[in-house]
Amino acid sequence: MAERSGLGARLRALRRERGLKQGELARALGVAVSSVSQWESGVKVPPPARLGDYATFFAVGTPSRSGKVPPAASLGDEERRVRAEIKEELDRLRADPVAPAPEVPDFWRFPGGGPVRILTGRVPSRNLSPLADPERRNYIGMSSYADGDALIELYGHLRALNPEADVRFDIARRIDPKDLRAHLVLLGSPAMNPMRRQVRFGLPVKQVEVDDVGHGEVFEVADEGRRYRPTLHDGRLIEDVGLLARFPNPYDVRRTLTLCSGVFTRGGFGAVRCLTDPQLRARNHEILRSRFGDSGNFGMLMRVPVVRNATATPDLSNPDTWIRSWSPIKT
């Protein structure tokens, strides 16, 4: 058995020793993936009965055909002995107040439980779905939200990492002024999200409209006089440019303001995915920490590949992914 290193760390080690993803273990235990994530990160503590399910599941050498946790009564003698050892260790770690699981750093975790607001733009009238009309019987309110892929991806991730926080989203032009003091996340370009034009960020980069990329806004870097454009082939987007930036919230400097934007929506989605994708977020987070430390004041442009019309997650360990970065940003 491993030495006592915190309940969350031990639960994570058990899963990894079996070569399971969080989703696979969640299905076996009959719980949400977010529950497994929160237990492993130490955000929440599983109830004693759930630790019994863990012990039973990992005591069995070969999973059942259903993949679910078998009844404890069905275990053989050796499996019952292993189960008792695992259960005793997990119970001890759960009751140990001096050995909590270490908090896993995450770009999207906001200490202190402050409110979080995700603000996006509204789909232009020319592109609105008929279902965005409230008079329609099958009205769908989300039809009017721009950057929907990025919004859905980020909202679920923020809720999982900040379970005690008040996390909400809305179209930027509808924000209540009191919500400006929350941790703010602005999705989309200035053309789509009016909040981008109302707040001065001090970035040496801006987005400008050009005639040769349709309705996108390319990135222009002030100290270079250069514009960073997406890559198109026969009119098809094969690589977008994404912006990820964070600085103190000018309405409440104790909290943060984060930008996730692109020339097109794929760039903004990639900027979000680089720190939510389960396969790359830990590596990408370490890259950010190595370059910017714990600074809450930086920005970077990245390449966002589009493969077979799907947005690929940028790998920040690949130096070709980075185009430009700034730290600190002077305001």
Side-chain angles (χ1 to χ4, degrees):
M1 292 294 167
E3 294 182 4
R4 291 162 58 171
S5 58
L7 178 59
R10 183 60 180 134
L11 295 179
R12 182 168 58 253
L14 284 169
R15 174 178 61 79
R16 289 178 173 175
E17 288 168 5
R18 187 64 67 88
L20 296 174
K21 297 179 180 179
Q22 288 185 342
E24 295 171 324
L25 179 58
R27 286 192 293 273
L29 298 175
V31 300
V33 178
S34 60
S35 294
V36 173
S37 175
Q38 290 167 7
W39 294 337
E40 291 186 1
S41 64
V43 172
K44 289 187 176 181
V45 178
R50 192 59 70 188
L51 294 182
D53 292 338
Y54 263 93
T56 302
F57 181 80
F58 289 106
V60 177
T62 303
S64 64
R65 183 172 300 178
S66 68
K68 301 294 185 180
V69 177
S74 68
L75 303 185
D77 292 342
E78 178 61 17
E79 291 172 335
R80 284 198 294 271
R81 183 189 67 78
V82 174
R83 180 189 185 279
E85 288 184 0
I86 297 175
K87 182 65 164 56
E88 179 183 1
E89 180 190 19
L90 297 182
D91 285 343
R92 184 174 68 247
L93 290 172
R94 187 180 190 277
D96 186 354
V98 297
E103 181 174 301
V104 179
D106 195 292
F107 182 82
W108 293 115
R109 179 178 286 118
F110 298 112
V116 184
R117 297 292 181 266
I118 309 171
L119 303 177
T120 186
R122 188 176 188 273
V123 175
S125 299
R126 63 178 180 274
N127 297 327
L128 272 177
S129 163
L131 298 181
D133 182 356
E135 297 297 324
R136 292 271 181 158
R137 294 179 180 177
N138 289 320
Y139 165 67
I140 300 175
M142 289 296 297
S143 298
S144 60
Y145 283 77
D147 292 275
D149 287 345
L151 174 60
I152 293 171
E153 173 80 13
L154 184 57
Y155 178 67
H157 193 76
L158 286 172
R159 287 290 303 273
L161 284 180
N162 304 276
E164 306 302 323
D166 176 17
V167 181
R168 304 184 199 177
F169 61 85
D170 208 340
I171 292 175
R173 68 180 186 180
R174 300 195 302 223
I175 188 173
D176 188 318
K178 67 181 180 182
D179 287 335
L180 291 174
R181 300 183 62 188
H183 290 286
L184 295 178
V185 183
L186 305 186
L187 300 180
S189 68
M192 298 292 289
N193 190 331
M195 278 294 294
R196 289 288 307 277
R197 301 192 187 279
Q198 293 177 20
V199 180
R200 296 187 62 184
F201 306 111
L203 281 174
V205 59
K206 61 181 179 180
Q207 289 186 252
V208 296
E209 293 186 18
V210 294
D211 295 331
D212 58 346
V213 296
H215 297 291
E217 290 185 304
V218 302
F219 293 97
E220 182 176 274
V221 178
D223 60 357
E224 291 184 352
R226 178 181 174 184
R227 292 178 174 178
Y228 292 92
R229 301 167 175 267
T231 302
L232 298 101
H233 180 69
D234 293 335
R236 175 177 292 181
L237 180 67
I238 60 175
E239 184 181 85
D240 203 350
V241 181
L243 168 69
L244 175 66
R246 172 168 286 177
F247 8 74
N249 182 347
Y251 301 106
D252 188 337
V253 295
R254 299 171 302 170
R255 295 179 176 142
T256 60
L257 189 151
T258 308
L259 303 181
C260 295
S261 180
V263 177
F264 299 110
T265 57
R266 310 299 184 95
F269 187 30
V272 167
R273 283 285 290 170
C274 79
L275 293 169
T276 61
D277 187 323
Q279 296 182 341
L280 286 174
R281 72 185 185 209
R283 183 194 309 170
N284 285 343
H285 188 270
E286 286 306 310
I287 296 296
L288 287 183
R289 285 177 61 86
S290 67
R291 186 165 183 85
F292 304 115
D294 294 322
S295 171
N297 202 346
F298 73 90
M300 68 185 310
L301 290 174
M302 66 186 74
R303 305 181 193 277
V304 180
V306 179
V307 183
R308 296 180 181 177
N309 294 323
T311 304
T313 302
D315 181 356
L316 300 185
S317 66
N318 179 355
D320 290 336
T321 297
W322 295 5
I323 305 174
R324 283 293 307 269
S325 60
W326 302 269
S327 176
I329 300 169
K330 297 184 183 299
T331 57

